[in-house]
mmCIF file of all heavy atoms in Angstrom:
data_model
loop_
_atom_site.group_PDB
_atom_site.id
_atom_site.type_symbol
_atom_site.label_atom_id
_atom_site.label_comp_id
_atom_site.label_asym_id
_atom_site.label_seq_id
_atom_site.Cartn_x
_atom_site.Cartn_y
_atom_site.Cartn_z
ATOM 1 N N GLU S 1 31.458 -15.545 102.775
ATOM 2 C CA GLU S 1 30.342 -14.739 103.275
ATOM 3 C C GLU S 1 30.422 -14.566 104.792
ATOM 4 O O GLU S 1 30.172 -13.473 105.322
ATOM 5 C CB GLU S 1 29.025 -15.410 102.891
ATOM 6 C CG GLU S 1 27.798 -14.598 103.266
ATOM 7 C CD GLU S 1 26.509 -15.274 102.823
ATOM 8 O OE1 GLU S 1 26.579 -16.236 102.030
ATOM 9 O OE2 GLU S 1 25.434 -14.825 103.265
ATOM 10 N N ILE S 2 30.786 -15.634 105.492
ATOM 11 C CA ILE S 2 30.906 -15.557 106.953
ATOM 12 C C ILE S 2 32.029 -14.596 107.352
ATOM 13 O O ILE S 2 31.891 -13.812 108.295
ATOM 14 C CB ILE S 2 31.154 -16.962 107.528
ATOM 15 C CG1 ILE S 2 29.903 -17.819 107.354
ATOM 16 C CG2 ILE S 2 31.535 -16.891 109.015
ATOM 17 C CD1 ILE S 2 30.101 -19.275 107.754
ATOM 18 N N LEU S 3 33.141 -14.646 106.635
ATOM 19 C CA LEU S 3 34.261 -13.759 106.943
ATOM 20 C C LEU S 3 33.863 -12.298 106.803
ATOM 21 O O LEU S 3 34.277 -11.443 107.598
ATOM 22 C CB LEU S 3 35.446 -14.079 106.029
ATOM 23 C CG LEU S 3 36.063 -15.469 106.174
ATOM 24 C CD1 LEU S 3 37.157 -15.679 105.134
ATOM 25 C CD2 LEU S 3 36.617 -15.680 107.575
ATOM 26 N N LEU S 4 33.042 -12.005 105.799
ATOM 27 C CA LEU S 4 32.567 -10.634 105.616
ATOM 28 C C LEU S 4 31.562 -10.256 106.707
ATOM 29 O O LEU S 4 31.628 -9.160 107.271
ATOM 30 C CB LEU S 4 31.934 -10.481 104.238
ATOM 31 C CG LEU S 4 32.897 -10.431 103.038
ATOM 32 C CD1 LEU S 4 32.134 -10.571 101.738
ATOM 33 C CD2 LEU S 4 33.687 -9.120 103.056
ATOM 34 N N GLU S 5 30.638 -11.163 107.010
ATOM 35 C CA GLU S 5 29.617 -10.883 108.025
ATOM 36 C C GLU S 5 30.230 -10.637 109.391
ATOM 37 O O GLU S 5 29.766 -9.774 110.152
ATOM 38 C CB GLU S 5 28.625 -12.048 108.115
ATOM 39 C CG GLU S 5 27.689 -12.168 106.925
ATOM 40 C CD GLU S 5 26.777 -13.367 107.050
ATOM 41 O OE1 GLU S 5 26.971 -14.183 107.994
ATOM 42 O OE2 GLU S 5 25.867 -13.506 106.213
ATOM 43 N N GLN S 6 31.282 -11.372 109.730
ATOM 44 C CA GLN S 6 31.911 -11.231 111.036
ATOM 45 C C GLN S 6 32.934 -10.101 111.079
ATOM 46 O O GLN S 6 33.538 -9.857 112.128
ATOM 47 C CB GLN S 6 32.576 -12.553 111.435
ATOM 48 C CG GLN S 6 31.586 -13.689 111.654
ATOM 49 C CD GLN S 6 32.237 -14.945 112.193
ATOM 50 O OE1 GLN S 6 33.456 -15.008 112.369
ATOM 51 N NE2 GLN S 6 31.438 -15.968 112.484
ATOM 52 N N GLY S 7 33.125 -9.424 109.966
ATOM 53 C CA GLY S 7 34.055 -8.296 109.941
ATOM 54 C C GLY S 7 35.517 -8.701 109.999
ATOM 55 O O GLY S 7 36.382 -7.889 110.333
ATOM 56 N N ILE S 8 35.813 -9.961 109.673
ATOM 57 C CA ILE S 8 37.198 -10.428 109.692
ATOM 58 C C ILE S 8 37.985 -9.801 108.543
ATOM 59 O O ILE S 8 39.182 -9.527 108.662
ATOM 60 C CB ILE S 8 37.237 -11.965 109.620
ATOM 61 C CG1 ILE S 8 36.553 -12.554 110.862
ATOM 62 C CG2 ILE S 8 38.666 -12.484 109.503
ATOM 63 C CD1 ILE S 8 36.378 -14.056 110.818
ATOM 64 N N VAL S 9 37.295 -9.571 107.418
ATOM 65 C CA VAL S 9 37.892 -8.897 106.267
ATOM 66 C C VAL S 9 36.929 -7.799 105.815
ATOM 67 O O VAL S 9 35.761 -7.771 106.203
ATOM 68 C CB VAL S 9 38.163 -9.878 105.109
ATOM 69 C CG1 VAL S 9 39.215 -10.897 105.499
ATOM 70 C CG2 VAL S 9 36.878 -10.588 104.700
ATOM 71 N N GLU S 10 37.435 -6.918 104.972
ATOM 72 C CA GLU S 10 36.618 -5.784 104.529
ATOM 73 C C GLU S 10 36.214 -5.881 103.068
ATOM 74 O O GLU S 10 35.261 -5.219 102.652
ATOM 75 C CB GLU S 10 37.381 -4.475 104.773
ATOM 76 C CG GLU S 10 37.653 -4.200 106.250
ATOM 77 C CD GLU S 10 38.383 -2.889 106.450
ATOM 78 O OE1 GLU S 10 38.756 -2.252 105.430
ATOM 79 O OE2 GLU S 10 38.570 -2.488 107.611
ATOM 80 N N THR S 11 36.912 -6.663 102.289
ATOM 81 C CA THR S 11 36.621 -6.725 100.856
ATOM 82 C C THR S 11 36.277 -8.148 100.435
ATOM 83 O O THR S 11 36.731 -9.123 101.053
ATOM 84 C CB THR S 11 37.822 -6.231 100.030
ATOM 85 O OG1 THR S 11 38.910 -7.146 100.181
ATOM 86 C CG2 THR S 11 38.266 -4.846 100.500
ATOM 87 N N LYS S 12 35.501 -8.251 99.374
ATOM 88 C CA LYS S 12 35.142 -9.562 98.845
ATOM 89 C C LYS S 12 36.376 -10.294 98.323
ATOM 90 O O LYS S 12 36.463 -11.518 98.422
ATOM 91 C CB LYS S 12 34.105 -9.413 97.729
ATOM 92 C CG LYS S 12 32.736 -8.957 98.213
ATOM 93 C CD LYS S 12 31.746 -8.932 97.070
ATOM 94 C CE LYS S 12 30.355 -8.546 97.561
ATOM 95 N NZ LYS S 12 29.363 -8.522 96.456
ATOM 96 N N ALA S 13 37.323 -9.545 97.751
ATOM 97 C CA ALA S 13 38.525 -10.178 97.217
ATOM 98 C C ALA S 13 39.329 -10.841 98.335
ATOM 99 O O ALA S 13 39.810 -11.962 98.185
ATOM 100 C CB ALA S 13 39.379 -9.149 96.486
ATOM 101 N N GLU S 14 39.478 -10.141 99.460
ATOM 102 C CA GLU S 14 40.219 -10.710 100.582
ATOM 103 C C GLU S 14 39.466 -11.893 101.182
ATOM 104 O O GLU S 14 40.065 -12.888 101.591
ATOM 105 C CB GLU S 14 40.462 -9.633 101.650
ATOM 106 C CG GLU S 14 41.262 -10.094 102.856
ATOM 107 C CD GLU S 14 42.697 -10.448 102.523
ATOM 108 O OE1 GLU S 14 43.116 -10.270 101.355
ATOM 109 O OE2 GLU S 14 43.413 -10.917 103.434
ATOM 110 N N ALA S 15 38.131 -11.772 101.229
ATOM 111 C CA ALA S 15 37.321 -12.885 101.741
ATOM 112 C C ALA S 15 37.487 -14.118 100.867
ATOM 113 O O ALA S 15 37.627 -15.239 101.377
ATOM 114 C CB ALA S 15 35.852 -12.467 101.795
ATOM 115 N N ALA S 16 37.482 -13.934 99.560
ATOM 116 C CA ALA S 16 37.652 -15.064 98.642
ATOM 117 C C ALA S 16 39.039 -15.682 98.785
ATOM 118 O O ALA S 16 39.193 -16.911 98.747
ATOM 119 C CB ALA S 16 37.421 -14.602 97.200
ATOM 120 N N ARG S 17 40.055 -14.835 98.973
ATOM 121 C CA ARG S 17 41.421 -15.349 99.118
ATOM 122 C C ARG S 17 41.548 -16.199 100.380
ATOM 123 O O ARG S 17 42.087 -17.305 100.356
ATOM 124 C CB ARG S 17 42.418 -14.185 99.174
ATOM 125 C CG ARG S 17 43.880 -14.628 99.224
ATOM 126 C CD ARG S 17 44.801 -13.436 99.388
ATOM 127 N NE ARG S 17 44.734 -12.902 100.737
ATOM 128 C CZ ARG S 17 45.443 -13.382 101.767
ATOM 129 N NH1 ARG S 17 46.262 -14.400 101.590
ATOM 130 N NH2 ARG S 17 45.342 -12.819 102.957
ATOM 131 N N LEU S 18 41.032 -15.691 101.507
ATOM 132 C CA LEU S 18 41.129 -16.434 102.761
ATOM 133 C C LEU S 18 40.262 -17.687 102.732
ATOM 134 O O LEU S 18 40.602 -18.700 103.350
ATOM 135 C CB LEU S 18 40.722 -15.541 103.930
ATOM 136 C CG LEU S 18 41.705 -14.424 104.292
ATOM 137 C CD1 LEU S 18 41.171 -13.603 105.452
ATOM 138 C CD2 LEU S 18 43.069 -14.993 104.638
ATOM 139 N N ALA S 19 39.134 -17.620 102.017
ATOM 140 C CA ALA S 19 38.275 -18.796 101.908
ATOM 141 C C ALA S 19 38.987 -19.922 101.167
ATOM 142 O O ALA S 19 38.805 -21.103 101.490
ATOM 143 C CB ALA S 19 36.970 -18.435 101.203
ATOM 144 N N ARG S 20 39.802 -19.567 100.174
ATOM 145 C CA ARG S 20 40.562 -20.589 99.450
ATOM 146 C C ARG S 20 41.617 -21.227 100.351
ATOM 147 O O ARG S 20 41.879 -22.428 100.280
ATOM 148 C CB ARG S 20 41.237 -19.981 98.215
ATOM 149 C CG ARG S 20 40.294 -19.658 97.073
ATOM 150 C CD ARG S 20 41.055 -19.385 95.786
ATOM 151 N NE ARG S 20 41.974 -18.260 95.924
ATOM 152 C CZ ARG S 20 41.639 -16.995 95.694
ATOM 153 N NH1 ARG S 20 40.400 -16.687 95.325
ATOM 154 N NH2 ARG S 20 42.525 -16.035 95.817
ATOM 155 N N LEU S 21 42.225 -20.405 101.220
ATOM 156 C CA LEU S 21 43.292 -20.895 102.091
ATOM 157 C C LEU S 21 42.759 -21.538 103.362
ATOM 158 O O LEU S 21 43.468 -22.300 104.014
ATOM 159 C CB LEU S 21 44.227 -19.737 102.476
ATOM 160 C CG LEU S 21 44.959 -19.036 101.329
ATOM 161 C CD1 LEU S 21 45.706 -17.822 101.864
ATOM 162 C CD2 LEU S 21 45.917 -19.986 100.640
ATOM 163 N N GLY S 22 41.509 -21.226 103.712
ATOM 164 C CA GLY S 22 40.970 -21.651 104.996
ATOM 165 C C GLY S 22 40.552 -23.093 105.085
ATOM 166 O O GLY S 22 40.255 -23.577 106.187
ATOM 167 N N GLU S 23 40.502 -23.801 103.968
ATOM 168 C CA GLU S 23 40.156 -25.224 103.953
ATOM 169 C C GLU S 23 38.830 -25.503 104.673
ATOM 170 O O GLU S 23 38.687 -26.475 105.400
ATOM 171 C CB GLU S 23 41.276 -26.057 104.588
ATOM 172 C CG GLU S 23 42.595 -25.945 103.852
ATOM 173 C CD GLU S 23 43.701 -26.761 104.492
ATOM 174 O OE1 GLU S 23 43.473 -27.306 105.600
ATOM 175 O OE2 GLU S 23 44.791 -26.858 103.896
ATOM 176 N N GLY S 24 37.862 -24.604 104.461
ATOM 177 C CA GLY S 24 36.523 -24.825 105.012
ATOM 178 C C GLY S 24 36.369 -24.497 106.472
ATOM 179 O O GLY S 24 35.333 -24.780 107.078
ATOM 180 N N SER S 25 37.382 -23.870 107.098
ATOM 181 C CA SER S 25 37.352 -23.584 108.532
ATOM 182 C C SER S 25 37.406 -22.085 108.797
ATOM 183 O O SER S 25 38.329 -21.397 108.341
ATOM 184 C CB SER S 25 38.532 -24.267 109.226
ATOM 185 O OG SER S 25 38.706 -23.777 110.540
ATOM 186 N N VAL S 26 36.419 -21.576 109.542
ATOM 187 C CA VAL S 26 36.417 -20.166 109.913
ATOM 188 C C VAL S 26 37.623 -19.867 110.800
ATOM 189 O O VAL S 26 38.280 -18.825 110.662
ATOM 190 C CB VAL S 26 35.111 -19.792 110.641
ATOM 191 C CG1 VAL S 26 35.150 -18.340 111.096
ATOM 192 C CG2 VAL S 26 33.902 -20.014 109.726
ATOM 193 N N ALA S 27 37.920 -20.768 111.729
ATOM 194 C CA ALA S 27 39.032 -20.552 112.650
ATOM 195 C C ALA S 27 40.359 -20.437 111.898
ATOM 196 O O ALA S 27 41.184 -19.565 112.195
ATOM 197 C CB ALA S 27 39.097 -21.688 113.665
ATOM 198 N N ARG S 28 40.567 -21.310 110.923
ATOM 199 C CA ARG S 28 41.817 -21.269 110.150
ATOM 200 C C ARG S 28 41.885 -19.975 109.336
ATOM 201 O O ARG S 28 42.930 -19.312 109.295
ATOM 202 C CB ARG S 28 41.909 -22.477 109.234
ATOM 203 C CG ARG S 28 43.141 -22.482 108.342
ATOM 204 C CD ARG S 28 43.219 -23.763 107.523
ATOM 205 N NE ARG S 28 44.283 -23.703 106.549
ATOM 206 C CZ ARG S 28 45.563 -23.935 106.807
ATOM 207 N NH1 ARG S 28 45.909 -24.257 108.036
ATOM 208 N NH2 ARG S 28 46.477 -23.867 105.866
ATOM 209 N N ALA S 29 40.782 -19.603 108.699
ATOM 210 C CA ALA S 29 40.769 -18.377 107.899
ATOM 211 C C ALA S 29 40.985 -17.155 108.778
ATOM 212 O O ALA S 29 41.691 -16.218 108.399
ATOM 213 C CB ALA S 29 39.441 -18.263 107.147
ATOM 214 N N ARG S 30 40.399 -17.150 109.971
ATOM 215 C CA ARG S 30 40.575 -16.026 110.895
ATOM 216 C C ARG S 30 42.048 -15.902 111.310
ATOM 217 O O ARG S 30 42.591 -14.806 111.404
ATOM 218 C CB ARG S 30 39.701 -16.211 112.128
ATOM 219 C CG ARG S 30 39.757 -15.021 113.086
ATOM 220 C CD ARG S 30 39.000 -15.304 114.370
ATOM 221 N NE ARG S 30 37.574 -15.395 114.131
ATOM 222 C CZ ARG S 30 36.850 -16.487 114.346
ATOM 223 N NH1 ARG S 30 37.431 -17.585 114.806
ATOM 224 N NH2 ARG S 30 35.566 -16.490 114.122
ATOM 225 N N GLY S 31 42.681 -17.056 111.542
ATOM 226 C CA GLY S 31 44.097 -17.023 111.897
ATOM 227 C C GLY S 31 44.960 -16.491 110.773
ATOM 228 O O GLY S 31 45.915 -15.746 111.002
ATOM 229 N N LEU S 32 44.614 -16.835 109.544
ATOM 230 C CA LEU S 32 45.373 -16.345 108.400
ATOM 231 C C LEU S 32 45.155 -14.858 108.160
ATOM 232 O O LEU S 32 45.969 -14.205 107.521
ATOM 233 C CB LEU S 32 44.975 -17.133 107.142
ATOM 234 C CG LEU S 32 45.380 -18.604 107.133
ATOM 235 C CD1 LEU S 32 44.732 -19.318 105.957
ATOM 236 C CD2 LEU S 32 46.893 -18.751 107.078
ATOM 237 N N ALA S 33 44.039 -14.331 108.693
ATOM 238 C CA ALA S 33 43.746 -12.904 108.523
ATOM 239 C C ALA S 33 44.432 -12.055 109.579
ATOM 240 O O ALA S 33 44.393 -10.833 109.513
ATOM 241 C CB ALA S 33 42.233 -12.664 108.590
ATOM 242 N N ASP S 34 45.075 -12.673 110.567
ATOM 243 C CA ASP S 34 45.746 -11.956 111.641
ATOM 244 C C ASP S 34 46.856 -11.092 111.047
ATOM 245 O O ASP S 34 47.787 -11.607 110.424
ATOM 246 C CB ASP S 34 46.327 -12.965 112.630
ATOM 247 C CG ASP S 34 46.938 -12.297 113.849
ATOM 248 O OD1 ASP S 34 47.172 -11.075 113.797
ATOM 249 O OD2 ASP S 34 47.187 -12.996 114.846
ATOM 250 N N PRO S 35 46.814 -9.760 111.232
ATOM 251 C CA PRO S 35 47.849 -8.885 110.653
ATOM 252 C C PRO S 35 49.243 -9.255 111.137
ATOM 253 O O PRO S 35 50.212 -9.158 110.385
ATOM 254 C CB PRO S 35 47.443 -7.487 111.137
ATOM 255 C CG PRO S 35 45.988 -7.587 111.474
ATOM 256 C CD PRO S 35 45.782 -8.998 111.948
ATOM 257 N N THR S 36 49.367 -9.705 112.382
ATOM 258 C CA THR S 36 50.674 -10.076 112.909
ATOM 259 C C THR S 36 51.248 -11.256 112.145
ATOM 260 O O THR S 36 52.424 -11.287 111.790
ATOM 261 C CB THR S 36 50.562 -10.435 114.400
ATOM 262 O OG1 THR S 36 49.975 -9.337 115.094
ATOM 263 C CG2 THR S 36 51.928 -10.736 114.987
ATOM 264 N N LEU S 37 50.389 -12.254 111.852
ATOM 265 C CA LEU S 37 50.827 -13.421 111.097
ATOM 266 C C LEU S 37 51.211 -13.024 109.683
ATOM 267 O O LEU S 37 52.210 -13.491 109.138
ATOM 268 C CB LEU S 37 49.715 -14.471 111.076
ATOM 269 C CG LEU S 37 50.007 -15.760 110.292
ATOM 270 C CD1 LEU S 37 51.216 -16.470 110.871
ATOM 271 C CD2 LEU S 37 48.788 -16.676 110.308
ATOM 272 N N THR S 38 50.417 -12.140 109.070
ATOM 273 C CA THR S 38 50.717 -11.698 107.712
ATOM 274 C C THR S 38 52.070 -10.993 107.656
ATOM 275 O O THR S 38 52.885 -11.228 106.759
ATOM 276 C CB THR S 38 49.612 -10.755 107.209
ATOM 277 O OG1 THR S 38 48.353 -11.436 107.254
ATOM 278 C CG2 THR S 38 49.885 -10.300 105.792
ATOM 279 N N GLU S 39 52.322 -10.122 108.644
ATOM 280 C CA GLU S 39 53.582 -9.389 108.686
ATOM 281 C C GLU S 39 54.755 -10.341 108.900
ATOM 282 O O GLU S 39 55.819 -10.189 108.306
ATOM 283 C CB GLU S 39 53.535 -8.347 109.809
ATOM 284 C CG GLU S 39 54.661 -7.331 109.760
ATOM 285 C CD GLU S 39 54.598 -6.470 108.504
ATOM 286 O OE1 GLU S 39 53.493 -6.261 107.992
ATOM 287 O OE2 GLU S 39 55.679 -6.000 108.066
ATOM 288 N N PHE S 40 54.548 -11.349 109.747
ATOM 289 C CA PHE S 40 55.594 -12.341 109.993
ATOM 290 C C PHE S 40 55.938 -13.096 108.721
ATOM 291 O O PHE S 40 57.097 -13.342 108.411
ATOM 292 C CB PHE S 40 55.133 -13.311 111.083
ATOM 293 C CG PHE S 40 56.070 -14.467 111.297
ATOM 294 C CD1 PHE S 40 57.255 -14.303 112.002
ATOM 295 C CD2 PHE S 40 55.771 -15.714 110.773
ATOM 296 C CE1 PHE S 40 58.115 -15.367 112.191
ATOM 297 C CE2 PHE S 40 56.625 -16.774 110.957
ATOM 298 C CZ PHE S 40 57.806 -16.604 111.675
ATOM 299 N N ARG S 41 54.884 -13.483 107.946
ATOM 300 C CA ARG S 41 55.131 -14.225 106.712
ATOM 301 C C ARG S 41 55.892 -13.368 105.702
ATOM 302 O O ARG S 41 56.785 -13.848 105.009
ATOM 303 C CB ARG S 41 53.797 -14.675 106.110
ATOM 304 C CG ARG S 41 53.144 -15.792 106.910
ATOM 305 C CD ARG S 41 51.920 -16.282 106.198
ATOM 306 N NE ARG S 41 51.485 -17.566 106.725
ATOM 307 C CZ ARG S 41 50.596 -18.347 106.160
ATOM 308 N NH1 ARG S 41 50.053 -17.986 105.032
ATOM 309 N NH2 ARG S 41 50.244 -19.486 106.708
#
């Protein structure tokens, strides 16, 4: 919900995916949402 409210992601599906990977941390989830990091991976 926080990821959606802050505009870090646009869809509920992406928010749920990052929430699973974020281990309870907004900062970690925000870093995983970085397009540059995604492209690198």
